[in-house]
């Protein structure tokens, strides 16, 4: 009898916690940035042209933090290339903020794998910190009113991109 | 005599001024360090931003320093990071809401364990007698 009580008091809660934790997708954990106004920034492109987030008001924005030294970023690069081809015509803006990288490496990378977003440089990771970025790749979905409605950490999938852009276009 | 005295007063004044200036610079660095000590490095996770060699942590410390120079308080700076990263960015979460379990649960377990131990010892001694 006592053993059964011990089983329910100790083993069952541990199993319940494990069952809950292991069925969650860590990449879809809610971010503290979701639902907040996207912090504005003014960053330079590789050509030195200054671009601010505010200038895209009225358009949904896909904001990706990436680097050439990041393997998962290379894996999702193709997804964004395809995504840009489809959704840019519909008014979606694709921005890619380079995270702790060298200009020459970025230029070489884009020449080889294509340019799925307007590439912006971020001195001293100021914008990355302002968005709570802890590593790359991280993608923020910003609606036409400038509010972050989703943050995704990890390798982007075509399905997820389509679903989230659709959500932004219909808001 | 008067000239020598004036010279020493002048030197002492300069020494105080330079010392104060140096102390002022130090205090910003010290305060930045104190705040960075409370922030978890998002790259290394287990160590504070102040001890992390990662570029992001170093840039976070720079951000802390800049915010101090702009006149922001420690609380405002910590809130800035919590707003962006969530409460896990604090190495010591604030003792409120669900966070209280971190403080209360060990005490409850200790208390429960102690009571269980007393109960078991009492059972043993009863059996012996």
């Amino acid at each position: 009898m006592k053993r059964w009580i011990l089983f329910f008091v100790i083993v069952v809660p541990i199993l319940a916690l494990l069952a809950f934790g292991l069925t969650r997708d860590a990449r879809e954990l809610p971010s503290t940035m979701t639902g907040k106004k996207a912090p504005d920034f003014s960053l330079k492109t590789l050509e030195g042209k200054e671009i601010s987030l505010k200038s895209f008001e009225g358009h949904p924005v896909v904001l990706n933090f990436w680097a050439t030294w990041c393997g998962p970023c290379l894996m999702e690069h193709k997804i964004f290339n395809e995504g840009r081809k489809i959704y840019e015509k519909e008014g979606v803006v694709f921005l890619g903020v380079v995270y702790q990288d060298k200009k020459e490496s970025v230029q070489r990378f884009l020449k080889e794998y294509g340019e799925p977003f307007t590439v912006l440089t971020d001195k001293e990771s100021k914008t990355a910190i302002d968005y709570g970025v802890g590593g790359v790749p991280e993608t923020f979905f910003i609606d036409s009113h400038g509010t972050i409605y989703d943050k995704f950490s990890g390798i982007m999938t075509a399905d997820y991109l389509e679903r989230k852009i659709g959500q932004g276009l219909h808001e | 005599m008067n000239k020598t005295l004036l010279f020493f007063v002048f030197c002492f004044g300069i020494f105080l001024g330079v010392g104060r200036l140096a102390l002022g610079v130090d205090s910003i660095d010290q305060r930045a360090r104190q705040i960075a000590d409370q922030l978890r490095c998002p790259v290394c996770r287990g160590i504070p931003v102040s001890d992390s060699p990662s570029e992001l942590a170093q840039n976070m410390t720079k951000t802390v320093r800049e915010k101090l120079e702009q006149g922001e308080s420690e609380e405002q700076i910590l809130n800035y990071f919590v707003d962006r990263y969530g409460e896990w960015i604090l190495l010591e979460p604030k003792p409120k809401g669900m966070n209280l379990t971190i403080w209360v649960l060990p005490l409850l377990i200790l208390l429960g364990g102690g009571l269980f131990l007393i109960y078991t010892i009492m059972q043993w001694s009863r059996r012996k007698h």
Side-chain angles (χ1 to χ4, degrees), chain A residues 2 6 31-33 36 39 99-101 122-135 138 151, chain B residues 42-43 45 54-57 59-60 62-63 66 80-88 116 119 123 127:
Chain A
K2 267 186 183 175
L6 273 178
S31 157
T32 48
M33 293 301 284
K36 286 183 184 159
Y99 177 82
Q100 298 171 2
D101 214 330
D122 183 21
K123 203 180 165 199
E124 293 180 344
S125 307
K126 278 189 193 301
T127 304
I129 293 170
D130 226 13
Y131 275 79
V133 171
E138 280 189 15
K151 176 192 172 183
Chain B
V43 183
R45 300 275 165 157
S54 80
E55 203 176 322
L56 181 65
N59 287 331
M60 282 170 82
K62 269 184 204 166
T63 304
E66 279 168 19
Y80 166 84
F81 285 101
V82 170
D83 275 352
R84 277 141 184 89
Y85 287 92
E87 209 157 317
W88 66 264
F116 179 74
Y119 174 75
Q123 292 278 328
R127 268 181 222 160

Side-chain angles (χ1 to χ4, degrees), chain A:
Chain A
M1 181 64 185
K2 267 186 183 175
R3 279 185 186 172
W4 277 107
I5 293 170
L6 273 178
F7 178 79
F8 278 107
V9 172
I10 299 168
V11 181
V12 171
I14 292 173
L15 286 176
L17 278 172
L18 279 174
F20 177 78
L22 295 173
T23 50
R24 306 291 104 178
D25 184 350
R27 293 176 305 176
E28 285 193 35
L29 280 176
S31 157
T32 48
M33 293 301 284
T34 310
K36 286 183 184 159
K37 195 90 185 152
D40 193 26
F41 54 75
S42 188
L43 298 173
K44 281 186 177 167
T45 63
L46 293 174
E47 296 77 33
K49 189 184 165 196
E50 198 121 343
I51 282 185
S52 72
L53 180 68
K54 223 176 177 181
S55 60
F56 298 113
E57 227 169 51
H59 294 269
V61 175
V62 177
L63 178 68
N64 178 253
F65 287 84
W66 71 288
T68 62
W69 46 261
C70 148
C73 300
L74 173 63
M75 289 161 88
E76 66 173 17
H77 208 76
K78 199 178 159 190
I79 305 289
F80 284 114
N81 267 327
E82 293 301 314
R84 188 181 197 179
K85 271 183 212 159
I86 302 166
Y87 299 107
E88 205 173 42
K89 290 174 227 157
E90 295 181 40
V92 180
V93 176
F94 287 79
L95 300 175
V97 179
V98 179
Y99 177 82
Q100 298 171 2
D101 214 330
K102 287 179 187 149
K103 192 179 170 182
E104 302 76 46
S105 315
V106 175
Q107 282 168 329
R108 233 179 296 131
F109 186 95
L110 295 174
K111 207 174 172 185
E112 195 171 344
Y113 300 106
E115 200 166 328
F117 20 61
T118 303
V119 176
L120 304 167
T121 52
D122 183 21
K123 203 180 165 199
E124 293 180 344
S125 307
K126 278 189 193 301
T127 304
I129 293 170
D130 226 13
Y131 275 79
V133 171
V136 281
E138 280 189 15
T139 308
F140 292 83
F141 293 88
I142 302 164
D143 68 18
S144 52
H145 308 292
T147 304
I148 298 170
Y149 64 92
D150 193 57
K151 176 192 172 183
F152 185 84
S153 302
I155 307 164
M156 182 59 65
T157 63
D159 281 352
Y160 196 87
L161 188 68
E162 188 187 340
R163 188 153 41 97
K164 287 297 161 186
I165 288 179
Q167 196 181 324
L169 282 169
H170 296 114
E171 261 179 14

Side-chain angles (χ1 to χ4, degrees), chain B residues 103-124:
Chain B
W103 277 267
V104 175
L105 207 62
L107 285 174
L108 284 178
I109 290 171
L110 205 71
L111 197 73
L115 287 174
F116 179 74
L117 206 69
I118 292 168
Y119 174 75
T120 315
I121 292 168
M122 278 169 73
Q123 292 278 328
W124 280 346

